[in-house]
Amino acid sequence: MIKNLHPLFQKKIILFCLLIISLILAILFFIQFSGTEQQQKKYLKVDRTIKIKKTLEKAHTFFNDGKFDSAYFYFNKTQLLCEPKEDYPDAYVESLNYIVEILQRYGNFYEAETTLIKAFPYLEKTSSKKYAINAYTFMAYNYSYTYNNEKALYYHRKALKTAISTFRKARILSEIAFVYVQQEKYQEAKDILEPISKCKIADKITPSNTNIVRSAILYNLALSYIGLGNHKEQALKCLDESLELTIPYNNDFELIANYFGYYKYYSKYYNPELKKFYAEKSYYAAKRAKSVGNEIDRLGELIEMDKPENSKKLWKIFTRKNDSLSLSRKMAKNQFADLIYASQKDKNENFELKNQKAEKELQLQRQKNRSYISYVVISLSLFIILFLIFYITTKGKREKNDIILKSEMRISQKLHSELNSNIYQTLLFVQNNNVENKEDKEKLLNNLNNIYSKTRNISRENSKVPIDDRYLSVLKEMISEYKTQDVNIILNGLDSISWNKVDKNKKIILYRILQELLFNMKKSNSSSLVSIVAKEIDKNLIIYYTDNSSEITSENNILEKRLQNVENRIKTIKGTLNFDTNLQRGFKINFKFPI
């Protein structure tokens, strides 16, 4: 009955799969031919998305390499490609944020503000709060650089309201406190920074930012302590911890502020030598970081505190650096103006190309043809995959059931052949003897113990073999079970093998082979000495098994029985088997397999 149902079940599955595939094809064809105009819009949108992505990737590459003029060009090109901006708010706002950061580096704060205002109408349309937070923060920086601290605070607070994560809020609060320090509102800065400095807040998205932000918090707190006075020990402790967090990053730009903090500290708590020492360290950090603005500021401080003869030399450097900075900023402004013009021209050319209807229609038709072929290929592939999954699953279940049935039959036969006679003799003994008698009772217990031992051995022969670090101890334990007063077993080399390198399946097969050999040895009951030697040679594991059994005959019937299962197992792991049937030596076999 079951055999008759199987083909019927298989046919139903195939019909069901065909029905699903037909339904999928119908939906795909409906989408494909639902409207040319809708497809055209979709096609153009995808085309622009790819171009925007590639342009943005180029911009990021140049920015990370420090080539800010090229980065500016591609960020500007990206924001011009985002038309209409509602479809690409992330790329549009991100590009403007980076443009503003570059403009601020070159001191072009007016242009930075004008650029950033363009992003504000689209902040609510972005997919993540980070775009809006960055825009508000850059606007706050812009006002801070131009000494408009009230407006800087306004935009920092807008960023704080937008932030969700505790880490971002802590970072923004630190920026707010820094503005208070600039306003000499040291108590307000301290009230903000002290609570967050006591909590070690981690950045779960970018863990490397955790220590950087904590260093900034402690630095700002130290400045507020210095400004308030009467916090000498707390200020120094904050500066030390801030510097300790910064040093591992080997970032000279961050070190400028750390050393400047010590300069402020030793200016407050009068120590001319250390004050000059840290002013110089801050200056050289700015020089290594190529931060001309900070370099000029530190030079001014060194000129103020140095001797007149040294001050002249520093003044010349100061004048040269200041003139160079002014000139580079003018050149940067002119260069950025040229880049904006070039990008606008590129935008006009793109629009002109998009208006060529013939080319768009041709591209659309090609896209349709490719889509049609793709749908057919996908449908056929899906059908084949479903059929293979069904076939392999059915075959696997059938083979698994066959293996289980064979295993059950083998265990059943073994139980019958080995325990049937013992159980029958034990029952007769109970019937014919008085088990209350001490001698008969002891014999009965011996018989029952013998039955239990055989049952336990059969169970262990079919139990799971551990393949972890316990493997060697379990293997030795199994071998020791065959050791009796009449049979001595000698082991050599097992401890020298790197069992962790041996494949898990090969471990199991080796365990079963030795179990089979020892079982046959015990069954023959003609051996008194067994030797098992293991060696690892040229990435091969070699096992030498020897016993002094006298049951090997010239007909080799018993030998074939002893070797049949062993040989089959060896073949499965691509191993080789050799044996010696010399009656003078007993039974001797060796086999090897690759580790």
Side-chain angles (χ1 to χ4, degrees), residues 82-117:
C82 296
E83 293 284 355
K85 299 175 185 66
E86 290 88 343
D87 292 334
Y88 312 100
D90 289 356
Y92 182 69
V93 174
E94 182 182 356
S95 299
L96 291 177
N97 281 339
Y98 274 98
I99 288 169
V100 169
E101 185 173 355
I102 294 168
L103 289 169
Q104 287 176 349
R105 282 176 180 266
Y106 288 95
N108 195 344
F109 303 117
Y110 175 77
E111 184 67 31
E113 182 179 357
T114 306
T115 302
L116 200 51
I117 288 170

Side-chain angles (χ1 to χ4, degrees), residues 466-479:
I467 55 173
D468 52 15
D469 295 334
R470 298 175 296 156
Y471 176 77
L472 181 58
S473 60
V474 172
L475 179 64
K476 286 182 176 179
E477 184 182 348
M478 181 273 292
I479 294 170

